[in-house]
Structures are given as structure tokens and as C-alpha cells.
Amino acid sequence: MQDASRSPTACTRARRNRWWWAYLVVCGMDGLLTGIMFFPDFRFDRVNIAILYLIPVLIASGIFGLWPGVFAACLGLMSFDFFFVPPIFSYAVGDLRFLVSFAVFLVVAITTAGLASNMRRRAQEASHRARVAQTLFHMSRALTAEADEAGVIETVLAQIRDLLQTHAYLALVKLDGIHLYAPNGDAGDPVIDRHVLDWVLRHGNLVSFGSKSHRQAAFVYIPVRDKGEVFGALIVGEPGQFRLATHGEMLDILRATANLTAIAVSRIASQERAKLAEIAAESERLRTALMNSISHELRTPLTTMLGAADALADEAAVLDDTDRTELTRTIRDGALRMNRLVTNLIGMARIESGMMRLAKRPTDLADVVQSALREVTELTQHHPVHVKAPEHAPVVQVDEMFFQQTLVNLISNAAKYSPKGTPIEISIFTEEGDAVISVRDYGVGIDEDEIERIFDKFYRSRKTNGVPGTGLGLAIVKAMVEAHGGTISIQRLNQGTAFIIRLAARDALKEEDRDVESRREDSRGRR
């Protein structure tokens, strides 16, 4: 955050105060030196005294610069003349030869002040260049580490503000226009000429006070561009502050900063474009997989249902009661299969869009398992299903409808990928305070390298070729279990696979919960 002590106006005030302190220090040194040499009653030769007056000149020019050194030279000459050249306590000169000495002293003193000031300036420039190089190095590292545009903007503006002690703004070109950014907490009012900014963005050239174009520009406008593309402009300074416009080194710093900013903004823009392209490619891949899977999954039961319906509707066909029952069951099984497919698609859409809302309530796991088994009777008719549960099954806090769909997908998955006649084992038990459901099949199993991918959308195992499916069932199972705060894992067995769901168990059903459950069962029985 930029405080008032570091604002450009405050810096100007501090610079003036520094000059006053410089002149006061020079006067103090001159007075102290004069007192030390005067009171010992002229024990020093006048030539030596004149040389000693060069000491304040060296100190003043080395610490404060040229003009305080010149002031020290003039003040030293006046003190030497007044206190040590006859007549004493007068600026009159009794011997005209002293005028030559005065001229020589003044030339030597001013030359010494110039040399010391030049050395001081060179040391300051070297220090400034080192600080600028270090700042640009840190800025480049910081910009490289930033992963988003907001971080780049804040880093750039903060670095410029700290380095040059002035206001800094960044204008970036967006699809909806030009966005102007200021450092956090900067209360300055950016009175920016939009015409100048538009010209800089259009031509990609620097504009400042006294430049060929827009000579009266109040700020320094540096284009942020990379490889011919202009991303925006850095706007630095404040009205009436022209040192940035006339100091070539500062302009070089700002150009380097603008180049670093352009590289960072270009990198982030490229990453965003690559991410959008990746998302578009993934969306296209998913859309293609979804359309292929759905078209196949819908076409198969629809063809079966249409064939059975045509046979029932054919008045010329000779069908006995057994045939009619079989055809009716075929239509029903196809409808149930399509219903599960549509339910999975709707469930995945809810999960992906974040619209899934769970109405959790205490639920007996054994009841949910029985309800799920009733939904998949046509799939489990060729598989003996063994349910192992304690007398008092564990109670969990779940949305019964969604969790039942989870178990339906697991059981149907076990039935589809297991040979006919092999059992499906469902176990319910409590372990370490968690309620556990295990669904085990004796099917083809899952390879070790597929365990990490088996819950991905549209992924189907290499061993399931020829078995109908969309690859959504297990993805929905994992999402539903995690939405309920649980976990699901896979256990590879010698024959088949076990899917194990763990949920936080809670106390047994309270009496009011049992009444609600009883009413729900009665309602189901009436339907």
C-alpha cells in the first residue's frame, strides 16, 4: 500500500528539507573548524589553515552533492578572509597578494567539490543500477511464478511504485474494452488522457512530456507489447512530475518492466488459450463418446422393444400365453434398461453442473439394499444374490433416492460383468465406527493398471468388450459416495472384484424416524 510519506509530493518536500540540512551541516562544520583554529591563537600557518578549509568541501560534496560543496568552498573562503587575513574581523584585504591566494583556493575547492560530487554520483548510479538489476531480476522471477493475470498486475505495479516512488497504473486491452488497474490501496486519482492512451495502444510507441507526439502528456505511457502485439500500456508518474520523462535511465527501466509485463501477460494468455483448446477438445471427445454410447445403448433396447411390440400387435401371429408373457417381459426389461440409462445421464448432468442437492436423513442400509435389488430384478434373475447383514443394520445419514441409485449401479455392474449362474454377494457391517457395504462379484475382474481409471467418465475396461454400457455407472457411484462424505475402494480378488463403500455410521433409528419409515413402507405397498 502506498503511504503519504512515499508519494511524489512528499518526496519533493523531503528533498527540499535535505538541502536545508546540507547547508546547516556545512555551516556547522565551517564554524567548528574556524573555532578550533582561531582560539589556539594562530598557531597554524595561514597556508595550512586554507588547506584545512577544504575538509568541509570534501565532506559536503561527497555526502550532499556539488552545490553544497560549492557553498562550503565559498563559506570557507569568507571565514578564512574574515578571521585569519589581516585586517582581522574584516573582509578588507591588506595585502593584494591574498587575492591570488583566494582565487587559487576557490578554484581548487570548487574542483575538489566537482570531483567528489562526481564520484558520489557515480557511486549512486552504480548502486542504482545494481538495485534496478536486482529489482528486474526479482520482478522477472515473481512474474514467472504468477499463474494468473491479477497476480501479474499487482506484482508489476507494486515493483514500479517501490522502485520509482511514484504512481503507476496498468491499462490492458480486453474484448469488452480497456481495463485500467491501480495498486491495492492507491487513493490517487488517475487523471489519464484517454486520447493519449488510445494513441499509444494503437501505435505501440512511448509517449511522455516533451516527446514528438503529445508533448504535453502529464504521464509517461509505455506500451506493453510482445512480438508486435500490444497488450496494454504502463502509465507512470503524476501531473507536473517531469523527471521520469527527462531521465533516460528511468525510461529504460520502464521499457524493461513493460517488456517483462508483456511476456508474462502473453504467457498467461497463451496458457488460457491452450486450456480453452484442451477443454474444447475434451468436450468434443466426451460429446462423441456420449453420443456413440447413448445411440448404441438406446438403439438396442428400443429395437428389442419395437420387435416385441410388433409381435404383440400382429393379429396374424399365433402366440400363446407363455409367448405373450415373454414378450411383455422383454418390453419391460428394455424400458427398465432405458430408465437406468436416462437416470444415469440425469445424475451425471446434476453432478457436473453442481445442481445436485442431497436431502439426507437417517436411513437403514439394509432397507436401501432391498430397494435397490427390487430395481434390478431383471438383471439379477440369472445370479443368486446373497445379502449378509446383522440383525440391526447400521444407520447412515444419506439421501435415500440418490444412494439407492448408487447401489443399483454397483449391483447392475456386478451382474453385467459376471457369467450367468455366478453369485453376487452383498455384505453390510460396521468397522471402526464406519458403516461398510461390500458388493462382490465373480466376474472378469479388473487389471491392476485400470484401478485408477475405472471411475473415470466413459472409461470401460478392456475386458468388457461386447458388454453394453456407457461407462458412466461407476463414475456416478464415486461422485455420489463422495457427495455423502464417504469413500469407495476396489479389492481385487482371485475371482471377481469387490467394491467397498465406507460411510460414517450414526446411532440407531429413533422412534420418530421408525414411524416415518413405516409410513413410507406402507405408501410403497399401496402403490
Side-chain angles (χ1 to χ4, degrees), residues 307-329:
D310 289 339
L312 288 174
D314 188 359
E315 297 179 354
V318 179
L319 301 174
D320 55 18
D321 292 341
T322 303
D323 294 335
R324 291 183 181 278
T325 301
E326 185 65 26
L327 290 173
T328 303
R329 185 179 293 113

Side-chain angles (χ1 to χ4, degrees), residues 431-445:
E431 184 178 79
E432 298 179 355
D434 290 336
V436 182
I437 304 177
S438 173
V439 179
R440 187 212 169 147
D441 62 62
Y442 288 81
V444 296

Side-chain angles (χ1 to χ4, degrees), residues 435-477:
V436 182
I437 304 177
S438 173
V439 179
R440 187 212 169 147
D441 62 62
Y442 288 81
V444 296
I446 301 173
D447 292 336
E448 182 69 30
D449 61 342
E450 292 185 311
I451 290 180
E452 295 296 328
R453 302 184 59 192
I454 201 67
F455 292 108
D456 292 347
K457 294 189 296 292
F458 303 112
Y459 179 78
R460 306 198 67 212
S461 173
R462 295 184 294 269
K463 299 180 179 181
T464 61
N465 292 332
V467 181
T470 60
L472 287 175
L474 291 181
I476 293 176
V477 167

Side-chain angles (χ1 to χ4, degrees), residues 79-136:
S79 299
F80 177 71
D81 182 19
F82 191 80
F83 290 100
F84 300 103
V85 175
I88 306 300
F89 304 127
S90 171
Y91 287 109
V93 178
D95 190 345
L96 294 180
R97 289 178 298 177
F98 278 107
L99 295 178
V100 178
S101 301
F102 292 165
V104 172
F105 172 83
L106 197 59
V107 170
V108 171
I110 293 177
T111 303
T112 302
L115 292 175
S117 175
N118 188 45
M119 291 178 61
R120 170 181 174 273
R121 186 176 65 256
R122 290 180 180 276
Q124 287 180 337
E125 289 176 353
S127 175
H128 182 70
R129 282 194 296 270
R131 187 162 65 94
V132 168
Q134 186 178 16
T135 300
L136 293 177

Side-chain angles (χ1 to χ4, degrees), residues 188-217:
D189 182 17
V191 187
I192 295 171
D193 192 334
R194 292 285 178 172
H195 296 291
V196 177
L197 178 59
D198 292 339
W199 188 92
V200 172
L201 296 177
R202 189 167 58 254
H203 293 84
N205 293 329
L206 184 145
V207 167
S208 64
F209 181 82
S211 59
K212 293 181 179 179
S213 178
H214 302 90
R215 293 177 176 273
Q216 300 302 318

Side-chain angles (χ1 to χ4, degrees), residues 28 157 218 222 287 300 332 366 370 392 435:
L157 296 183
I222 308 97
R287 187 185 69 84
T300 301
R332 178 180 180 276
Q370 293 300 327
H392 297 292

